[in-house]
Amino acid sequence: QVPLVESGGGSVQAGGSLRLSCAVSGYVNRDGCMGWFRQAPKERERVASIDNGGGITYADSVKGRFTISKDSAKNTLYLQMSSLKVEDTAMYYCAVAGTGYCPSMEGFVDWGQGTPVTVSS
């Protein structure tokens, strides 16, 4: 059973919205920091993360446009993306850290397989 499964990606025009979901199952540390990352041709970058106390951080490039949230009862992490830009085009991954606080990327131990987002002008 794949522990993290993303969904909700797709193609959208600039200015549009998408909501990504990440279903958490199996042995994944549900008390761990959870995050969304993306990777385009350049290196993978953190988009948003939420620690086990509810503390949230965003990359500067998405502040005011993206919202991360989680529903613990449904074991699901979300990323609401609005006012999408062409430069948001990437493969989006959810990940869970081994710690309740949000570490550097290397501390995220469980990763989904990704869902693609394409934003056209």
Short mmCIF file of all heavy atoms in Angstrom, two decimals, residues 21-96:
data_model
loop_
_atom_site.label_atom_id
_atom_site.label_comp_id
_atom_site.label_asym_id
_atom_site.label_seq_id
_atom_site.Cartn_x
_atom_site.Cartn_y
_atom_site.Cartn_z
N SER A 21 -4.80 17.11 -3.19
CA SER A 21 -5.05 16.32 -1.99
C SER A 21 -3.96 15.27 -1.84
O SER A 21 -3.41 14.81 -2.84
CB SER A 21 -6.41 15.61 -2.07
OG SER A 21 -7.46 16.54 -2.18
N CYS A 22 -3.69 14.90 -0.62
CA CYS A 22 -2.71 13.86 -0.33
C CYS A 22 -3.31 12.95 0.74
O CYS A 22 -3.46 13.36 1.88
CB CYS A 22 -1.40 14.47 0.14
SG CYS A 22 -0.17 13.25 0.67
N ALA A 23 -3.63 11.75 0.34
CA ALA A 23 -4.19 10.78 1.26
C ALA A 23 -3.06 10.03 1.96
O ALA A 23 -2.17 9.50 1.31
CB ALA A 23 -5.09 9.81 0.50
N VAL A 24 -3.13 10.02 3.26
CA VAL A 24 -2.09 9.40 4.09
C VAL A 24 -2.60 8.07 4.62
O VAL A 24 -3.71 8.00 5.16
CB VAL A 24 -1.71 10.32 5.26
CG1 VAL A 24 -0.64 9.67 6.12
CG2 VAL A 24 -1.26 11.67 4.75
N SER A 25 -1.81 7.04 4.49
CA SER A 25 -2.23 5.74 4.99
C SER A 25 -1.02 4.96 5.48
O SER A 25 0.13 5.41 5.37
CB SER A 25 -2.95 4.95 3.90
OG SER A 25 -2.06 4.70 2.81
N GLY A 26 -1.28 3.82 6.05
CA GLY A 26 -0.21 2.93 6.46
C GLY A 26 0.59 3.44 7.64
O GLY A 26 0.07 4.05 8.57
N TYR A 27 1.89 3.24 7.56
CA TYR A 27 2.79 3.45 8.68
C TYR A 27 3.27 4.89 8.82
O TYR A 27 4.07 5.18 9.69
CB TYR A 27 4.01 2.55 8.50
CG TYR A 27 4.76 2.82 7.22
CD1 TYR A 27 5.69 3.85 7.12
CD2 TYR A 27 4.51 2.06 6.07
CE1 TYR A 27 6.34 4.13 5.93
CE2 TYR A 27 5.17 2.32 4.88
CZ TYR A 27 6.08 3.35 4.82
OH TYR A 27 6.73 3.61 3.64
N VAL A 28 2.81 5.77 7.98
CA VAL A 28 3.30 7.16 8.00
C VAL A 28 3.04 7.81 9.35
O VAL A 28 1.98 7.64 9.94
CB VAL A 28 2.63 7.98 6.87
CG1 VAL A 28 3.03 9.43 6.96
CG2 VAL A 28 3.01 7.41 5.51
N ASN A 29 4.01 8.57 9.82
CA ASN A 29 3.90 9.29 11.08
C ASN A 29 2.89 10.42 10.96
O ASN A 29 3.18 11.49 10.41
CB ASN A 29 5.27 9.85 11.47
CG ASN A 29 5.22 10.67 12.75
OD1 ASN A 29 4.25 10.59 13.51
ND2 ASN A 29 6.24 11.47 12.99
N ARG A 30 1.70 10.18 11.49
CA ARG A 30 0.65 11.18 11.35
C ARG A 30 0.87 12.39 12.23
O ARG A 30 0.16 13.39 12.10
CB ARG A 30 -0.71 10.53 11.63
CG ARG A 30 -1.17 9.65 10.48
CD ARG A 30 -2.26 8.70 10.90
NE ARG A 30 -2.82 7.95 9.77
CZ ARG A 30 -2.20 6.96 9.15
NH1 ARG A 30 -1.00 6.59 9.53
NH2 ARG A 30 -2.79 6.34 8.14
N ASP A 31 1.83 12.33 13.14
CA ASP A 31 2.18 13.48 13.97
C ASP A 31 3.35 14.27 13.37
O ASP A 31 3.82 15.23 13.99
CB ASP A 31 2.53 13.03 15.38
CG ASP A 31 1.34 12.45 16.12
OD1 ASP A 31 0.21 12.95 15.88
OD2 ASP A 31 1.53 11.52 16.91
N GLY A 32 3.80 13.84 12.24
CA GLY A 32 4.94 14.51 11.63
C GLY A 32 4.55 15.76 10.89
O GLY A 32 3.38 15.95 10.51
N CYS A 33 5.52 16.62 10.69
CA CYS A 33 5.32 17.78 9.83
C CYS A 33 4.94 17.27 8.44
O CYS A 33 5.52 16.29 7.95
CB CYS A 33 6.60 18.60 9.76
SG CYS A 33 6.62 19.87 8.47
N MET A 34 4.00 17.93 7.81
CA MET A 34 3.58 17.55 6.47
C MET A 34 3.83 18.72 5.52
O MET A 34 3.63 19.88 5.90
CB MET A 34 2.10 17.17 6.47
CG MET A 34 1.78 16.06 7.45
SD MET A 34 0.04 15.58 7.40
CE MET A 34 0.01 14.66 5.86
N GLY A 35 4.22 18.40 4.32
CA GLY A 35 4.54 19.48 3.41
C GLY A 35 4.23 19.15 1.96
O GLY A 35 4.03 18.00 1.58
N TRP A 36 4.15 20.21 1.19
CA TRP A 36 4.03 20.11 -0.26
C TRP A 36 5.32 20.64 -0.88
O TRP A 36 5.81 21.71 -0.48
CB TRP A 36 2.85 20.93 -0.77
CG TRP A 36 1.52 20.31 -0.48
CD1 TRP A 36 0.67 20.62 0.54
CD2 TRP A 36 0.87 19.27 -1.24
NE1 TRP A 36 -0.44 19.83 0.47
CE2 TRP A 36 -0.35 19.00 -0.61
CE3 TRP A 36 1.23 18.56 -2.38
CZ2 TRP A 36 -1.24 18.03 -1.09
CZ3 TRP A 36 0.36 17.60 -2.86
CH2 TRP A 36 -0.86 17.34 -2.23
N PHE A 37 5.80 19.93 -1.84
CA PHE A 37 7.00 20.31 -2.58
C PHE A 37 6.68 20.28 -4.07
O PHE A 37 5.70 19.66 -4.49
CB PHE A 37 8.14 19.33 -2.29
CG PHE A 37 8.59 19.32 -0.85
CD1 PHE A 37 7.85 18.65 0.12
CD2 PHE A 37 9.75 19.98 -0.48
CE1 PHE A 37 8.26 18.65 1.46
CE2 PHE A 37 10.17 19.98 0.84
CZ PHE A 37 9.42 19.31 1.81
N ARG A 38 7.49 20.95 -4.85
CA ARG A 38 7.30 20.87 -6.29
C ARG A 38 8.66 20.82 -6.97
O ARG A 38 9.66 21.30 -6.45
CB ARG A 38 6.49 22.05 -6.81
CG ARG A 38 7.15 23.41 -6.66
CD ARG A 38 6.18 24.50 -7.11
NE ARG A 38 6.76 25.84 -6.98
CZ ARG A 38 6.07 26.96 -7.18
NH1 ARG A 38 4.77 26.90 -7.50
NH2 ARG A 38 6.66 28.13 -7.05
N GLN A 39 8.61 20.22 -8.15
CA GLN A 39 9.84 20.11 -8.92
C GLN A 39 9.53 20.31 -10.38
O GLN A 39 8.70 19.61 -10.97
CB GLN A 39 10.50 18.75 -8.70
CG GLN A 39 11.84 18.62 -9.37
CD GLN A 39 12.64 17.43 -8.85
OE1 GLN A 39 12.10 16.54 -8.20
NE2 GLN A 39 13.93 17.43 -9.11
N ALA A 40 10.20 21.27 -10.97
CA ALA A 40 10.11 21.53 -12.40
C ALA A 40 11.49 21.15 -12.94
O ALA A 40 12.18 20.35 -12.33
CB ALA A 40 9.74 22.99 -12.64
N PRO A 41 11.94 21.71 -14.04
CA PRO A 41 13.29 21.37 -14.49
C PRO A 41 14.37 21.70 -13.48
O PRO A 41 15.42 21.07 -13.47
CB PRO A 41 13.43 22.22 -15.76
CG PRO A 41 12.05 22.35 -16.27
CD PRO A 41 11.19 22.46 -15.03
N LYS A 42 14.12 22.68 -12.62
CA LYS A 42 15.11 23.01 -11.61
C LYS A 42 14.90 22.14 -10.39
O LYS A 42 14.11 21.23 -10.39
CB LYS A 42 15.03 24.50 -11.27
CG LYS A 42 13.65 24.97 -10.82
CD LYS A 42 13.63 26.46 -10.60
CE LYS A 42 12.25 26.95 -10.19
NZ LYS A 42 12.23 28.43 -9.99
N GLU A 43 15.63 22.44 -9.33
CA GLU A 43 15.62 21.58 -8.15
C GLU A 43 14.29 21.62 -7.43
O GLU A 43 13.52 22.56 -7.56
CB GLU A 43 16.74 22.00 -7.20
CG GLU A 43 16.59 23.41 -6.64
CD GLU A 43 17.80 23.81 -5.80
OE1 GLU A 43 18.82 23.12 -5.86
OE2 GLU A 43 17.69 24.81 -5.09
N ARG A 44 14.04 20.58 -6.64
CA ARG A 44 12.83 20.49 -5.86
C ARG A 44 12.82 21.57 -4.80
O ARG A 44 13.84 21.84 -4.16
CB ARG A 44 12.74 19.10 -5.21
CG ARG A 44 11.43 18.82 -4.51
CD ARG A 44 11.33 17.38 -4.08
NE ARG A 44 11.30 16.47 -5.24
CZ ARG A 44 11.03 15.17 -5.13
NH1 ARG A 44 10.79 14.63 -3.95
NH2 ARG A 44 11.02 14.42 -6.21
N GLU A 45 11.67 22.19 -4.60
CA GLU A 45 11.56 23.24 -3.60
C GLU A 45 10.33 23.00 -2.74
O GLU A 45 9.34 22.43 -3.18
CB GLU A 45 11.45 24.62 -4.26
CG GLU A 45 10.21 24.83 -5.11
CD GLU A 45 10.05 26.27 -5.57
OE1 GLU A 45 10.72 27.17 -5.04
OE2 GLU A 45 9.21 26.49 -6.47
N ARG A 46 10.43 23.47 -1.50
CA ARG A 46 9.29 23.38 -0.60
C ARG A 46 8.31 24.49 -0.92
O ARG A 46 8.68 25.64 -1.03
CB ARG A 46 9.75 23.47 0.85
CG ARG A 46 8.62 23.23 1.84
CD ARG A 46 9.02 23.49 3.27
NE ARG A 46 10.33 22.95 3.60
CZ ARG A 46 10.69 22.60 4.83
NH1 ARG A 46 9.82 22.69 5.82
NH2 ARG A 46 11.92 22.17 5.07
N VAL A 47 7.05 24.12 -1.02
CA VAL A 47 6.00 25.09 -1.32
C VAL A 47 5.33 25.54 -0.03
O VAL A 47 5.14 26.73 0.20
CB VAL A 47 4.96 24.46 -2.27
CG1 VAL A 47 3.78 25.40 -2.48
CG2 VAL A 47 5.61 24.09 -3.60
N ALA A 48 4.97 24.59 0.81
CA ALA A 48 4.28 24.90 2.06
C ALA A 48 4.44 23.72 3.00
O ALA A 48 4.61 22.59 2.57
CB ALA A 48 2.80 25.17 1.81
N SER A 49 4.36 24.02 4.29
CA SER A 49 4.45 22.95 5.27
C SER A 49 3.64 23.33 6.49
O SER A 49 3.40 24.52 6.76
CB SER A 49 5.90 22.65 5.64
OG SER A 49 6.54 23.81 6.16
N ILE A 50 3.21 22.30 7.22
CA ILE A 50 2.42 22.50 8.43
C ILE A 50 2.94 21.54 9.48
O ILE A 50 3.04 20.33 9.25
CB ILE A 50 0.91 22.30 8.14
CG1 ILE A 50 0.08 22.53 9.40
CG2 ILE A 50 0.60 20.95 7.50
CD1 ILE A 50 -1.43 22.64 9.11
N ASP A 51 3.30 22.08 10.64
CA ASP A 51 3.86 21.22 11.68
C ASP A 51 2.75 20.63 12.54
O ASP A 51 1.56 20.93 12.33
CB ASP A 51 4.91 21.96 12.49
CG ASP A 51 4.33 23.12 13.29
OD1 ASP A 51 3.14 23.07 13.69
OD2 ASP A 51 5.08 24.09 13.53
N ASN A 52 3.12 19.83 13.52
CA ASN A 52 2.08 19.14 14.28
C ASN A 52 1.38 20.05 15.26
O ASN A 52 0.41 19.65 15.89
CB ASN A 52 2.64 17.90 14.98
CG ASN A 52 3.62 18.24 16.08
OD1 ASN A 52 4.02 19.39 16.24
ND2 ASN A 52 4.02 17.24 16.85
N GLY A 53 1.85 21.30 15.38
CA GLY A 53 1.15 22.29 16.20
C GLY A 53 0.28 23.21 15.37
O GLY A 53 -0.34 24.13 15.90
N GLY A 54 0.27 22.96 14.08
CA GLY A 54 -0.53 23.79 13.18
C GLY A 54 0.22 24.97 12.61
O GLY A 54 -0.36 25.79 11.88
N GLY A 55 1.51 25.10 12.94
CA GLY A 55 2.29 26.18 12.39
C GLY A 55 2.53 25.99 10.90
O GLY A 55 2.87 24.89 10.46
N ILE A 56 2.35 27.04 10.13
CA ILE A 56 2.39 26.96 8.67
C ILE A 56 3.45 27.90 8.11
O ILE A 56 3.59 29.04 8.59
CB ILE A 56 1.01 27.30 8.07
CG1 ILE A 56 0.01 26.20 8.41
CG2 ILE A 56 1.11 27.49 6.56
CD1 ILE A 56 -1.42 26.52 8.00
N THR A 57 4.16 27.42 7.12
CA THR A 57 5.09 28.27 6.39
C THR A 57 4.86 28.10 4.90
O THR A 57 4.45 27.02 4.45
CB THR A 57 6.55 27.95 6.73
OG1 THR A 57 6.80 26.57 6.41
CG2 THR A 57 6.85 28.19 8.19
N TYR A 58 5.13 29.14 4.15
CA TYR A 58 4.97 29.13 2.70
C TYR A 58 6.24 29.67 2.05
O TYR A 58 6.93 30.53 2.59
CB TYR A 58 3.82 30.03 2.26
CG TYR A 58 2.45 29.56 2.70
CD1 TYR A 58 1.82 30.13 3.79
CD2 TYR A 58 1.79 28.55 2.00
CE1 TYR A 58 0.57 29.71 4.19
CE2 TYR A 58 0.53 28.13 2.39
CZ TYR A 58 -0.07 28.71 3.50
OH TYR A 58 -1.32 28.28 3.89
N ALA A 59 6.50 29.18 0.87
CA ALA A 59 7.53 29.79 0.05
C ALA A 59 7.06 31.18 -0.34
O ALA A 59 5.86 31.42 -0.53
CB ALA A 59 7.78 28.95 -1.19
N ASP A 60 7.99 32.10 -0.44
CA ASP A 60 7.63 33.48 -0.79
C ASP A 60 6.87 33.54 -2.11
O ASP A 60 5.98 34.37 -2.29
CB ASP A 60 8.89 34.34 -0.88
CG ASP A 60 9.50 34.62 0.48
OD1 ASP A 60 8.80 34.45 1.49
OD2 ASP A 60 10.68 35.00 0.53
N SER A 61 7.20 32.65 -3.01
CA SER A 61 6.60 32.69 -4.35
C SER A 61 5.12 32.32 -4.36
O SER A 61 4.44 32.59 -5.34
CB SER A 61 7.36 31.75 -5.28
OG SER A 61 7.34 30.43 -4.78
N VAL A 62 4.63 31.72 -3.29
CA VAL A 62 3.23 31.29 -3.27
C VAL A 62 2.42 31.97 -2.17
O VAL A 62 1.20 31.74 -2.08
CB VAL A 62 3.11 29.76 -3.13
CG1 VAL A 62 3.93 29.06 -4.21
CG2 VAL A 62 3.50 29.28 -1.75
N LYS A 63 3.04 32.77 -1.35
CA LYS A 63 2.32 33.43 -0.27
C LYS A 63 1.17 34.26 -0.81
O LYS A 63 1.32 34.99 -1.80
CB LYS A 63 3.27 34.33 0.52
CG LYS A 63 4.17 33.59 1.49
CD LYS A 63 5.07 34.55 2.26
CE LYS A 63 5.98 33.80 3.22
NZ LYS A 63 6.92 34.71 3.91
N GLY A 64 0.02 34.11 -0.16
CA GLY A 64 -1.16 34.85 -0.58
C GLY A 64 -1.94 34.17 -1.69
O GLY A 64 -3.05 34.60 -2.02
N ARG A 65 -1.36 33.13 -2.27
CA ARG A 65 -2.04 32.43 -3.37
C ARG A 65 -2.36 30.98 -3.01
O ARG A 65 -3.35 30.44 -3.48
CB ARG A 65 -1.17 32.45 -4.63
CG ARG A 65 -0.86 33.85 -5.13
CD ARG A 65 -0.17 33.81 -6.49
NE ARG A 65 1.11 33.10 -6.47
CZ ARG A 65 1.38 32.03 -7.21
NH1 ARG A 65 0.47 31.52 -8.01
NH2 ARG A 65 2.58 31.46 -7.12
N PHE A 66 -1.51 30.35 -2.24
CA PHE A 66 -1.68 28.94 -1.87
C PHE A 66 -2.04 28.84 -0.40
O PHE A 66 -1.57 29.63 0.43
CB PHE A 66 -0.40 28.15 -2.11
CG PHE A 66 -0.03 27.95 -3.56
CD1 PHE A 66 -0.66 28.64 -4.59
CD2 PHE A 66 0.98 27.06 -3.90
CE1 PHE A 66 -0.31 28.44 -5.91
CE2 PHE A 66 1.34 26.84 -5.21
CZ PHE A 66 0.70 27.55 -6.21
N THR A 67 -2.82 27.81 -0.07
CA THR A 67 -3.20 27.54 1.31
C THR A 67 -3.05 26.05 1.60
O THR A 67 -3.65 25.23 0.90
CB THR A 67 -4.64 27.97 1.59
OG1 THR A 67 -4.80 29.36 1.29
CG2 THR A 67 -4.99 27.74 3.05
N ILE A 68 -2.26 25.75 2.61
CA ILE A 68 -2.10 24.36 3.03
C ILE A 68 -3.01 24.10 4.21
O ILE A 68 -3.21 24.97 5.07
CB ILE A 68 -0.63 24.06 3.39
CG1 ILE A 68 -0.42 22.57 3.66
CG2 ILE A 68 -0.18 24.89 4.59
CD1 ILE A 68 1.06 22.17 3.86
N SER A 69 -3.58 22.91 4.24
CA SER A 69 -4.43 22.54 5.37
C SER A 69 -4.43 21.02 5.48
O SER A 69 -4.02 20.32 4.55
CB SER A 69 -5.86 23.06 5.18
OG SER A 69 -6.46 22.49 4.03
N LYS A 70 -4.89 20.55 6.61
CA LYS A 70 -5.00 19.10 6.77
C LYS A 70 -6.25 18.76 7.54
O LYS A 70 -6.72 19.54 8.38
CB LYS A 70 -3.76 18.53 7.45
CG LYS A 70 -3.53 18.96 8.88
CD LYS A 70 -2.27 18.28 9.42
CE LYS A 70 -2.01 18.70 10.86
NZ LYS A 70 -0.79 18.03 11.41
N ASP A 71 -6.79 17.63 7.22
CA ASP A 71 -7.96 17.10 7.90
C ASP A 71 -7.51 15.80 8.56
O ASP A 71 -7.40 14.77 7.89
CB ASP A 71 -9.09 16.86 6.90
CG ASP A 71 -10.39 16.44 7.57
OD1 ASP A 71 -10.33 15.79 8.64
OD2 ASP A 71 -11.45 16.72 7.02
N SER A 72 -7.24 15.87 9.85
CA SER A 72 -6.70 14.69 10.55
C SER A 72 -7.70 13.55 10.57
O SER A 72 -7.31 12.38 10.52
CB SER A 72 -6.30 15.08 11.97
OG SER A 72 -5.27 16.05 11.95
N ALA A 73 -8.98 13.87 10.64
CA ALA A 73 -10.00 12.81 10.67
C ALA A 73 -10.01 12.02 9.37
O ALA A 73 -10.30 10.83 9.36
CB ALA A 73 -11.37 13.42 10.95
N LYS A 74 -9.69 12.71 8.28
CA LYS A 74 -9.67 12.06 6.97
C LYS A 74 -8.27 11.64 6.55
O LYS A 74 -8.10 11.11 5.44
CB LYS A 74 -10.28 12.99 5.91
CG LYS A 74 -11.75 13.30 6.12
CD LYS A 74 -12.28 14.19 5.00
CE LYS A 74 -13.76 14.46 5.19
NZ LYS A 74 -14.31 15.33 4.11
N ASN A 75 -7.29 11.94 7.41
CA ASN A 75 -5.90 11.62 7.06
C ASN A 75 -5.53 12.18 5.69
O ASN A 75 -4.96 11.48 4.84
CB ASN A 75 -5.67 10.11 7.10
CG ASN A 75 -5.75 9.54 8.49
OD1 ASN A 75 -5.28 10.14 9.44
ND2 ASN A 75 -6.39 8.38 8.61
N THR A 76 -5.87 13.42 5.49
CA THR A 76 -5.65 14.04 4.18
C THR A 76 -5.03 15.42 4.34
O THR A 76 -5.44 16.20 5.20
CB THR A 76 -6.96 14.14 3.39
OG1 THR A 76 -7.54 12.84 3.27
CG2 THR A 76 -6.71 14.71 2.00
N LEU A 77 -4.06 15.67 3.50
CA LEU A 77 -3.41 16.98 3.41
C LEU A 77 -3.87 17.64 2.12
O LEU A 77 -4.02 16.97 1.10
CB LEU A 77 -1.88 16.81 3.39
CG LEU A 77 -1.03 18.05 3.29
CD1 LEU A 77 -1.08 18.84 4.60
CD2 LEU A 77 0.41 17.69 2.94
N TYR A 78 -4.07 18.95 2.18
CA TYR A 78 -4.56 19.68 1.01
C TYR A 78 -3.62 20.83 0.67
O TYR A 78 -2.91 21.36 1.51
CB TYR A 78 -5.95 20.25 1.28
CG TYR A 78 -7.00 19.23 1.61
CD1 TYR A 78 -7.36 19.01 2.93
CD2 TYR A 78 -7.62 18.49 0.61
CE1 TYR A 78 -8.33 18.07 3.26
CE2 TYR A 78 -8.59 17.55 0.93
CZ TYR A 78 -8.93 17.35 2.25
OH TYR A 78 -9.88 16.41 2.56
N LEU A 79 -3.69 21.22 -0.59
CA LEU A 79 -3.05 22.45 -1.03
C LEU A 79 -4.01 23.14 -1.99
O LEU A 79 -4.22 22.67 -3.11
CB LEU A 79 -1.71 22.19 -1.72
CG LEU A 79 -0.93 23.44 -2.10
CD1 LEU A 79 -0.44 24.17 -0.84
CD2 LEU A 79 0.26 23.12 -3.01
N GLN A 80 -4.61 24.21 -1.52
CA GLN A 80 -5.48 25.03 -2.37
C GLN A 80 -4.61 26.03 -3.09
O GLN A 80 -3.92 26.83 -2.45
CB GLN A 80 -6.54 25.73 -1.53
CG GLN A 80 -7.44 26.65 -2.34
CD GLN A 80 -8.34 25.90 -3.29
OE1 GLN A 80 -8.99 24.92 -2.91
NE2 GLN A 80 -8.39 26.34 -4.55
N MET A 81 -4.64 25.99 -4.40
CA MET A 81 -3.81 26.88 -5.21
C MET A 81 -4.71 27.80 -6.02
O MET A 81 -5.56 27.33 -6.77
CB MET A 81 -2.92 26.06 -6.15
CG MET A 81 -2.08 25.00 -5.43
SD MET A 81 -0.90 24.18 -6.50
CE MET A 81 -2.02 23.34 -7.62
N SER A 82 -4.51 29.08 -5.86
CA SER A 82 -5.31 30.08 -6.57
C SER A 82 -4.38 31.03 -7.30
O SER A 82 -3.18 31.08 -7.02
CB SER A 82 -6.19 30.84 -5.58
OG SER A 82 -7.03 29.98 -4.86
N SER A 83 -4.96 31.80 -8.21
CA SER A 83 -4.18 32.77 -8.99
C SER A 83 -2.93 32.11 -9.56
O SER A 83 -1.81 32.64 -9.47
CB SER A 83 -3.81 33.97 -8.14
OG SER A 83 -4.95 34.61 -7.61
N LEU A 84 -3.12 30.96 -10.14
CA LEU A 84 -1.98 30.19 -10.63
C LEU A 84 -1.24 30.92 -11.75
O LEU A 84 -1.86 31.62 -12.57
CB LEU A 84 -2.43 28.82 -11.10
CG LEU A 84 -2.69 27.82 -9.96
CD1 LEU A 84 -3.57 26.67 -10.44
CD2 LEU A 84 -1.38 27.30 -9.41
N LYS A 85 0.06 30.75 -11.76
CA LYS A 85 0.93 31.37 -12.75
C LYS A 85 1.63 30.28 -13.56
O LYS A 85 1.76 29.14 -13.11
CB LYS A 85 1.98 32.23 -12.05
CG LYS A 85 1.42 33.31 -11.15
CD LYS A 85 2.53 34.07 -10.44
CE LYS A 85 1.97 35.14 -9.52
NZ LYS A 85 3.06 35.89 -8.83
N VAL A 86 2.08 30.66 -14.71
CA VAL A 86 2.79 29.71 -15.57
C VAL A 86 3.98 29.09 -14.82
O VAL A 86 4.25 27.89 -14.94
CB VAL A 86 3.26 30.39 -16.87
CG1 VAL A 86 4.16 29.46 -17.67
CG2 VAL A 86 2.07 30.83 -17.70
N GLU A 87 4.63 29.90 -14.02
CA GLU A 87 5.81 29.41 -13.29
C GLU A 87 5.46 28.45 -12.16
O GLU A 87 6.36 27.89 -11.52
CB GLU A 87 6.64 30.57 -12.74
CG GLU A 87 5.85 31.60 -11.98
CD GLU A 87 5.45 32.79 -12.83
OE1 GLU A 87 5.02 32.59 -14.00
OE2 GLU A 87 5.54 33.93 -12.32
N ASP A 88 4.18 28.23 -11.89
CA ASP A 88 3.77 27.22 -10.91
C ASP A 88 3.75 25.82 -11.53
O ASP A 88 3.55 24.83 -10.82
CB ASP A 88 2.38 27.54 -10.35
CG ASP A 88 2.35 28.81 -9.52
OD1 ASP A 88 3.30 29.03 -8.76
OD2 ASP A 88 1.38 29.58 -9.67
N THR A 89 3.95 25.74 -12.82
CA THR A 89 3.97 24.45 -13.50
C THR A 89 5.08 23.57 -12.93
O THR A 89 6.24 23.96 -12.88
CB THR A 89 4.18 24.64 -15.00
OG1 THR A 89 3.05 25.35 -15.54
CG2 THR A 89 4.33 23.31 -15.72
N ALA A 90 4.70 22.39 -12.47
CA ALA A 90 5.66 21.48 -11.85
C ALA A 90 4.96 20.19 -11.47
O ALA A 90 3.73 20.08 -11.55
CB ALA A 90 6.28 22.11 -10.60
N MET A 91 5.75 19.21 -11.05
CA MET A 91 5.22 18.04 -10.39
C MET A 91 5.16 18.37 -8.90
O MET A 91 6.14 18.84 -8.33
CB MET A 91 6.12 16.83 -10.64
CG MET A 91 5.59 15.54 -10.05
SD MET A 91 4.14 14.93 -10.94
CE MET A 91 4.95 14.16 -12.36
N TYR A 92 4.01 18.14 -8.30
CA TYR A 92 3.82 18.45 -6.90
C TYR A 92 3.79 17.16 -6.07
O TYR A 92 3.11 16.20 -6.42
CB TYR A 92 2.51 19.23 -6.71
CG TYR A 92 2.63 20.67 -7.12
CD1 TYR A 92 2.73 21.03 -8.46
CD2 TYR A 92 2.68 21.70 -6.17
CE1 TYR A 92 2.87 22.35 -8.85
CE2 TYR A 92 2.81 23.02 -6.55
CZ TYR A 92 2.91 23.34 -7.89
OH TYR A 92 3.05 24.67 -8.26
N TYR A 93 4.54 17.20 -4.99
CA TYR A 93 4.67 16.05 -4.11
C TYR A 93 4.25 16.42 -2.69
O TYR A 93 4.53 17.52 -2.23
CB TYR A 93 6.12 15.58 -4.03
CG TYR A 93 6.73 15.17 -5.34
CD1 TYR A 93 7.34 16.11 -6.17
CD2 TYR A 93 6.72 13.84 -5.76
CE1 TYR A 93 7.91 15.74 -7.39
CE2 TYR A 93 7.28 13.46 -6.95
CZ TYR A 93 7.87 14.41 -7.76
OH TYR A 93 8.44 14.04 -8.96
N CYS A 94 3.60 15.50 -2.01
CA CYS A 94 3.42 15.67 -0.58
C CYS A 94 4.44 14.78 0.14
O CYS A 94 4.90 13.77 -0.42
CB CYS A 94 2.00 15.35 -0.13
SG CYS A 94 1.52 13.64 -0.26
N ALA A 95 4.77 15.19 1.34
CA ALA A 95 5.78 14.46 2.10
C ALA A 95 5.52 14.64 3.58
O ALA A 95 4.92 15.64 4.00
CB ALA A 95 7.18 14.95 1.74
N VAL A 96 6.00 13.69 4.34
CA VAL A 96 5.85 13.72 5.79
C VAL A 96 7.22 13.55 6.43
O VAL A 96 8.01 12.70 6.02
CB VAL A 96 4.91 12.61 6.28
CG1 VAL A 96 4.80 12.64 7.81
CG2 VAL A 96 3.52 12.77 5.67
#
